[in-house]
mmCIF file of all heavy atoms in Angstrom:
data_model
loop_
_atom_site.group_PDB
_atom_site.id
_atom_site.type_symbol
_atom_site.label_atom_id
_atom_site.label_comp_id
_atom_site.label_asym_id
_atom_site.label_seq_id
_atom_site.Cartn_x
_atom_site.Cartn_y
_atom_site.Cartn_z
ATOM 1 N N GLU B 17 162.393 189.580 48.231
ATOM 2 C CA GLU B 17 161.753 190.864 48.028
ATOM 3 C C GLU B 17 162.746 191.874 47.519
ATOM 4 O O GLU B 17 163.893 191.898 47.973
ATOM 5 C CB GLU B 17 161.157 191.393 49.327
ATOM 6 C CG GLU B 17 160.082 190.494 49.900
ATOM 7 C CD GLU B 17 159.624 190.917 51.287
ATOM 8 O OE1 GLU B 17 160.438 191.516 52.040
ATOM 9 O OE2 GLU B 17 158.466 190.659 51.587
ATOM 10 N N VAL B 18 162.325 192.696 46.568
ATOM 11 C CA VAL B 18 163.115 193.842 46.124
ATOM 12 C C VAL B 18 162.504 195.071 46.762
ATOM 13 O O VAL B 18 161.326 195.369 46.589
ATOM 14 C CB VAL B 18 163.115 193.971 44.581
ATOM 15 C CG1 VAL B 18 163.833 195.244 44.159
ATOM 16 C CG2 VAL B 18 163.746 192.743 43.942
ATOM 17 N N THR B 19 163.305 195.788 47.590
ATOM 18 C CA THR B 19 162.785 196.929 48.317
ATOM 19 C C THR B 19 163.145 198.253 47.673
ATOM 20 O O THR B 19 162.545 199.274 47.980
ATOM 21 C CB THR B 19 163.270 196.909 49.767
ATOM 22 O OG1 THR B 19 164.724 196.889 49.760
ATOM 23 C CG2 THR B 19 162.752 195.669 50.504
ATOM 24 N N VAL B 26 170.365 198.314 43.772
ATOM 25 C CA VAL B 26 169.182 197.519 44.012
ATOM 26 C C VAL B 26 169.331 196.904 45.371
ATOM 27 O O VAL B 26 170.394 196.400 45.732
ATOM 28 C CB VAL B 26 169.021 196.429 42.923
ATOM 29 C CG1 VAL B 26 167.861 195.503 43.214
ATOM 30 C CG2 VAL B 26 168.861 197.039 41.555
ATOM 31 N N ARG B 27 168.244 196.998 46.188
ATOM 32 C CA ARG B 27 168.270 196.424 47.533
ATOM 33 C C ARG B 27 167.080 195.466 47.681
ATOM 34 O O ARG B 27 166.019 195.656 47.090
ATOM 35 C CB ARG B 27 168.192 197.508 48.591
ATOM 36 C CG ARG B 27 169.399 198.377 48.673
ATOM 37 C CD ARG B 27 169.379 199.323 49.861
ATOM 38 N NE ARG B 27 168.205 200.160 49.944
ATOM 39 C CZ ARG B 27 168.080 201.353 49.409
ATOM 40 N NH1 ARG B 27 169.081 201.912 48.759
ATOM 41 N NH2 ARG B 27 166.943 202.049 49.541
ATOM 42 N N GLY B 28 167.292 194.464 48.527
ATOM 43 C CA GLY B 28 166.225 193.524 48.795
ATOM 44 C C GLY B 28 166.606 192.611 49.934
ATOM 45 O O GLY B 28 167.618 192.821 50.600
ATOM 46 N N GLY B 29 165.822 191.574 50.135
ATOM 47 C CA GLY B 29 166.103 190.691 51.235
ATOM 48 C C GLY B 29 165.252 189.415 51.171
ATOM 49 O O GLY B 29 164.395 189.229 50.280
ATOM 50 N N MET B 30 165.505 188.581 52.163
ATOM 51 C CA MET B 30 164.833 187.295 52.281
ATOM 52 C C MET B 30 164.858 186.856 53.730
ATOM 53 O O MET B 30 165.892 186.992 54.389
ATOM 54 C CB MET B 30 165.548 186.283 51.380
ATOM 55 C CG MET B 30 165.036 184.874 51.417
ATOM 56 S SD MET B 30 165.939 183.787 50.263
ATOM 57 C CE MET B 30 167.624 183.876 50.918
ATOM 58 N N LEU B 51 169.165 184.804 45.902
ATOM 59 C CA LEU B 51 168.874 186.195 46.280
ATOM 60 C C LEU B 51 169.799 187.117 45.469
ATOM 61 O O LEU B 51 169.340 188.092 44.868
ATOM 62 C CB LEU B 51 169.084 186.404 47.783
ATOM 63 C CG LEU B 51 169.048 187.830 48.292
ATOM 64 C CD1 LEU B 51 167.703 188.488 48.044
ATOM 65 C CD2 LEU B 51 169.410 187.869 49.769
ATOM 66 N N LEU B 55 168.630 189.906 42.523
ATOM 67 C CA LEU B 55 168.932 191.347 42.580
ATOM 68 C C LEU B 55 169.928 191.767 41.509
ATOM 69 O O LEU B 55 169.797 192.832 40.910
ATOM 70 C CB LEU B 55 169.458 191.719 43.964
ATOM 71 C CG LEU B 55 168.379 192.111 45.002
ATOM 72 C CD1 LEU B 55 167.374 191.034 45.199
ATOM 73 C CD2 LEU B 55 169.040 192.526 46.312
ATOM 74 N N VAL B 89 168.112 188.121 55.857
ATOM 75 C CA VAL B 89 169.320 188.621 55.169
ATOM 76 C C VAL B 89 168.867 189.791 54.254
ATOM 77 O O VAL B 89 167.804 189.759 53.671
ATOM 78 C CB VAL B 89 170.036 187.526 54.374
ATOM 79 C CG1 VAL B 89 170.702 186.532 55.322
ATOM 80 C CG2 VAL B 89 169.134 186.826 53.402
ATOM 81 N N ALA B 90 169.727 190.780 54.201
ATOM 82 C CA ALA B 90 169.512 191.926 53.310
ATOM 83 C C ALA B 90 170.628 191.975 52.310
ATOM 84 O O ALA B 90 171.795 191.610 52.650
ATOM 85 C CB ALA B 90 169.440 193.221 54.132
ATOM 86 N N ALA B 91 170.327 192.437 51.101
ATOM 87 C CA ALA B 91 171.348 192.487 50.069
ATOM 88 C C ALA B 91 171.309 193.799 49.316
ATOM 89 O O ALA B 91 170.231 194.357 49.138
ATOM 90 C CB ALA B 91 171.134 191.313 49.099
#
Side-chain angles (χ1 to χ4, degrees):
E17 298 173 330
V18 175
T19 58
V26 176
R27 292 189 306 269
M30 176 178 62
L51 170 62
L55 271 57
V89 290

